[in-house]
Amino acid sequence: MAFTKLAQDRPRILIVGGGYVGFTVAQKIQKVIKDAGGVVTIVDPNPYMTYQPFLPEVAAGSMEGRNATVPLRQHLRDTEIVGGRIVSINHAAKTAVVEPINAGETFELSYDEIVLGAGAVTRAFPIPGLSDVAIGMKTVEEAVSVRNWVLERIETASLTADEAERRRALTFVIVGGGFAGIETISELEDMAREAVRRNNRLRVSDLHFVLVEAAPRIMPEVPADRAEKVVAELRARGIEVLLNTSLADATDGHLQLINMGDKSPAGELDTDTVIWTAGVAASPMLKETDFPIDERGRVRVGADLRVTGDNGVIEGAWAAGDNAAVPDLTGGGVGGFCVPNAQHASRQAVTLANNLLASRNGESLKDYYHETIGVVAGLGLWKGVANFKGKTIGGPLAWMMHRAYHGTAIPTTERTVRVMATWALNQVFGRDTSSVRHQRSPRLAFQQATGTAPEKSKAKL
Ligand SMILES: Cc1cc2nc3c(=O)[nH]c(=O)nc-3n(C[C@H](O)[C@H](O)[C@H](O)COP(=O)(O)OP(=O)(O)OC[C@H]3O[C@@H](n4cnc5c(N)ncnc54)[C@H](O)[C@@H]3O)c2cc1C
C-alpha cells in the first residue's frame, strides 16, 4: 500500500540513504528536479548524515556527537525526507518497500529513477561471544556510548580494590588496524590519559590499550615505513600492538588470541571493552533487490555510475559509494574498484548527480575518475599521520592537516563553523572527561525515585 501523505502525483527520484552519496546527490539535484515538477525523496532511518571520519573524535570527547552529523531537513529544503529503512526494491516494477522508524506499517513507494547510497555495515565474523561484548564504530550512538563507557570504566577502576577487576576495567581492546581502528585507539588513549591524570587514585601506566590486527601491518593506505613509524609511536605511548594476530573467542570478555599463521595461541586477556573496526561490507539490503550484485555484495555499476548488469545498463538506476563496485579507472584500487572511503563517495556523488541531470537532457555522461590526493588521520591531540601527493608527514603538522581537511570537508558552512568552534573552545578550556552516566537508561532516576528501579546488574557496554 502506498503512503498517501507522500508526493504521489509527481515523478520521483528516490535516494536510498542520506549519507555522503545521498546527501550530496540530493543537494545537487533537488532544485532542478523540483523546478521541473518532480520530487527528490531521501529514505534514511536517521534524520541526519553522519560524518564518519569524526567518530573517533566523538569517542574521545574532542567533538560533540551532534556536530558529527548534518541534519537532512535543515539543509535539504527541497527534498522530501522519509524516516525509514528501505527493506526491498523491485526495480522491474519501480517500487521500494519502506519500513518506517519506530511505528507504522511498511508501505510501498513508487519511483521513476533510483539512486542507491545505502553505504556499508560493520563486517564481523562468527567469533564466540563477540556480539555479546563488542561494539562497532560506524554510528554517532556507538561513538558517544564508547566515550561514556571508557570514562565510566576509569572511574569504576579507581574505586576497585580487586586488582584483577581493576585491570579488566582498564583494558581496552580495539580489533582492526585500518584507519578507523588506529584513529579510534589513538584518540581514546589520549582521552583516557587525560582522564586518569585528573584522578589521583590511578596512574597512566595502569591503562592497558591493545590493538589486534590480523595482517602483518597496519593502515594499508599509507606507505609501509610510515605505518611502522605509527606502530612505534603507539608502542611508545604504551599501546600494545599485536600484528598477525586474530581474536578466536570473546566469551564473557575473556579474549583468546591466536597467531594468524599457525593458529597457535597468542595470549589471553580479560576486558569489558572490545571495539570492532575490522572492516565493512556493503548494505545487506541490496540482497533484497533485483539489481546485479557482485561477489562482495556490492551493486555493479559502470564508470558513469549507472547500474550495469550482464545485459548492459539498467535504465533509471544509479549507485555510488560504499554500496557500489565502482571501477577505478586510474588503475589503482583493489581488484580494479575504488576503495570504500569518503573521498571517493563524495566525489562519485557529484559525478552521479551531473550524469543523472545530463541523462534527462539527452547529454553525454562522464566517467568517474579520481586520483587519490592523499590521506590524513588524527592520532590524538597534536598527533597525526598524513600521506599527501606521495609525501608522508607525521606529528603536529599532519594533525593540523587532518583538522583543516575534515573541518572544511564536512558538508555545509554551518557544520564547519560548529566543528571549528568546538575545537577552539576545547583548545582553550581542555576537553571534558566526565561521563554522562545512564544515557542508555534515562528513566533510571525516575524509577529510583518511585522505588521501581531494577536490581543493579553488572554494567555492560
Ligand atoms: C570510524 C570511521 C572513520 C572513517 N574515516 C574516513 C576518513 O578519514 N577518510 C575517508 O575518506 N573515509 C573515512 N571513512 C569511510 C567513509 O565514512 C565512508 O566510506 C563513507 O561514509 C561512504 O559514504 P556512503 O554515502 O557510501 O555511505 P554512508 O555515508 O555510510 O551513508 C549510508 C546511508 O544509508 C543509510 N542506510 C543504510 N541502509 C539503508 C536502508 N536500507 N534504507 C535507507 N537508508 C539506509 C544509512 O543510515 C546512511 O545514512 C571512515 C569510516 C568510519 C566508520
Side-chain angles (χ1 to χ4, degrees):
M1 201 177 61
F3 191 66
T4 49
K5 287 210 170 144
L6 297 174
Q8 301 293 338
D9 51 346
R10 285 177 282 160
R12 170 178 284 114
I13 296 185
L14 174 61
I15 303 181
V16 186
Y20 274 88
V21 169
F23 184 90
T24 311
V25 170
Q27 209 179 26
K28 296 251 164 241
I29 67 170
Q30 57 178 0
K31 185 88 177 54
V32 182
I33 300 299
K34 188 183 172 195
D35 290 350
V39 62
V40 174
T41 304
I42 286 187
V43 180
D44 194 309
N46 296 324
Y48 49 78
M49 168 216 176
T50 304
Y51 193 81
Q52 293 169 26
F54 279 153
L55 295 181
E57 288 209 37
V58 171
S62 299
M63 166 147 341
E64 285 304 313
R66 285 207 337 246
N67 289 356
T69 68
V70 186
L72 302 180
R73 286 189 192 279
Q74 191 178 343
H75 292 287
L76 296 174
R77 295 283 172 91
D78 291 320
T79 297
E80 185 178 54
I81 309 291
V82 177
R85 182 180 296 280
I86 303 265
V87 288
S88 64
I89 300 166
N90 180 351
H91 188 64
K94 299 250 176 112
T95 55
V97 175
V98 181
E99 188 180 78
I101 47 164
N102 302 328
E105 288 185 7
T106 58
F107 60 90
E108 238 175 45
L109 203 52
S110 56
Y111 61 83
D112 293 79
E113 298 196 57
I114 192 163
V115 176
L116 299 167
V121 294
T122 299
R123 178 174 56 106
F125 304 106
I127 296 168
L130 185 67
S131 57
D132 288 335
V133 296
I135 190 167
M137 188 54 68
K138 273 291 277 176
T139 68
V140 178
E141 292 81 353
E142 286 172 329
V144 171
S145 297
V146 165
R147 173 188 177 274
N148 289 324
W149 176 256
V150 169
L151 293 172
E152 209 181 305
R153 288 295 85 197
I154 290 171
E155 205 59 44
T156 303
S158 76
L159 283 174
T160 305
D162 182 320
E163 193 48 44
E165 274 303 307
R166 189 174 145 109
R167 177 124 181 111
R168 182 181 171 110
L170 292 177
T171 297
F172 305 101
V173 179
I174 283 78
V175 185
F179 251 64
I182 297 300
E183 285 194 305
T184 301
I185 197 165
S186 314
E187 293 283 357
L188 279 179
E189 191 270 343
D190 212 47
M191 175 187 72
R193 190 177 274 264
E194 201 164 329
V196 165
R197 280 206 193 105
R198 291 173 182 170
N199 187 328
N200 60 15
R201 293 190 295 272
L202 292 173
R203 288 162 303 163
V204 169
S205 57
D206 293 334
L207 290 168
H208 186 202
F209 276 84
V210 184
L211 179 82
V212 179
E213 167 54 54
R217 58 162 294 182
I218 61 163
M219 300 175 118
E221 302 87 346
V222 300
D225 57 339
R226 177 52 69 175
E228 277 164 25
K229 269 196 185 147
V230 173
V231 169
E233 279 167 29
L234 295 181
R235 285 181 174 149
R237 283 164 66 173
I239 297 173
E240 193 174 353
V241 181
L242 303 173
L243 302 176
N244 292 310
T245 307
S246 164
L247 179 60
D249 199 308
T251 307
D252 296 330
H254 178 71
L255 307 193
Q256 295 182 34
L257 305 172
I258 53 168
N259 290 306
M260 278 308 285
D262 56 8
K263 308 285 179 216
S264 59
E268 298 184 13
L269 47 94
D270 290 301
T271 180
D272 295 325
T273 315
V274 180
I275 304 171
W276 183 270
T277 59
V280 293
S283 166
M285 180 275 300
L286 294 171
K287 294 193 186 103
E288 308 303 322
T289 71
D290 51 355
F291 292 118
I293 306 295
D294 76 355
E295 69 291 346
R296 295 179 66 180
R298 301 170 297 187
V299 65
R300 289 163 56 196
V301 295
D304 58 11
L305 304 171
R306 288 184 293 178
V307 176
T308 305
D310 289 339
N311 299 324
V313 169
I314 293 173
E315 292 301 330
W318 307 79
D322 287 4
N323 75 172
V326 180
D328 188 340
L329 301 183
T330 65
V334 179
F337 296 100
C338 297
V339 292
N341 66 24
Q343 205 180 119
H344 278 304
S346 52
R347 286 174 175 81
Q348 286 164 5
V350 174
T351 304
L352 191 161
N354 290 339
N355 281 349
L356 193 152
L357 294 178
S359 74
R360 294 167 68 88
N361 298 331
E363 295 163 9
S364 56
L365 310 187
K366 290 216 168 77
D367 284 346
Y368 175 72
Y369 183 95
H370 171 65
E371 282 184 31
T372 298
I373 36 174
V375 288
V376 283
L379 304 177
L381 289 180
W382 300 104
K383 299 174 273 292
V385 60
N387 184 30
F388 183 65
K389 292 193 172 165
K391 282 203 173 69
T392 51
I393 303 152
L397 179 60
W399 177 78
M400 284 190 272
M401 287 168 71
H402 159 78
R403 286 213 155 174
Y405 175 77
H406 287 297
T408 48
I410 187 168
T412 78
T413 311
E414 181 252 344
R415 287 291 130 165
T416 293
V417 172
R418 281 183 198 269
V419 165
M420 298 279 187
T422 310
W423 281 339
L425 289 171
N426 278 351
Q427 283 309 121
V428 177
F429 298 113
R431 90 179 103 195
D432 180 346
T433 53
S434 59
S435 70
V436 182
R437 292 186 65 230
H438 304 312
Q439 186 156 301
R440 278 174 300 164
S441 47
R443 295 183 56 242
L444 190 64
F446 183 78
Q447 289 170 326
Q448 281 167 342
T450 54
T452 55
E455 258 181 51
K456 219 172 165 185
S457 58
K458 188 176 172 353
K460 263 181 106 176
L461 176 58

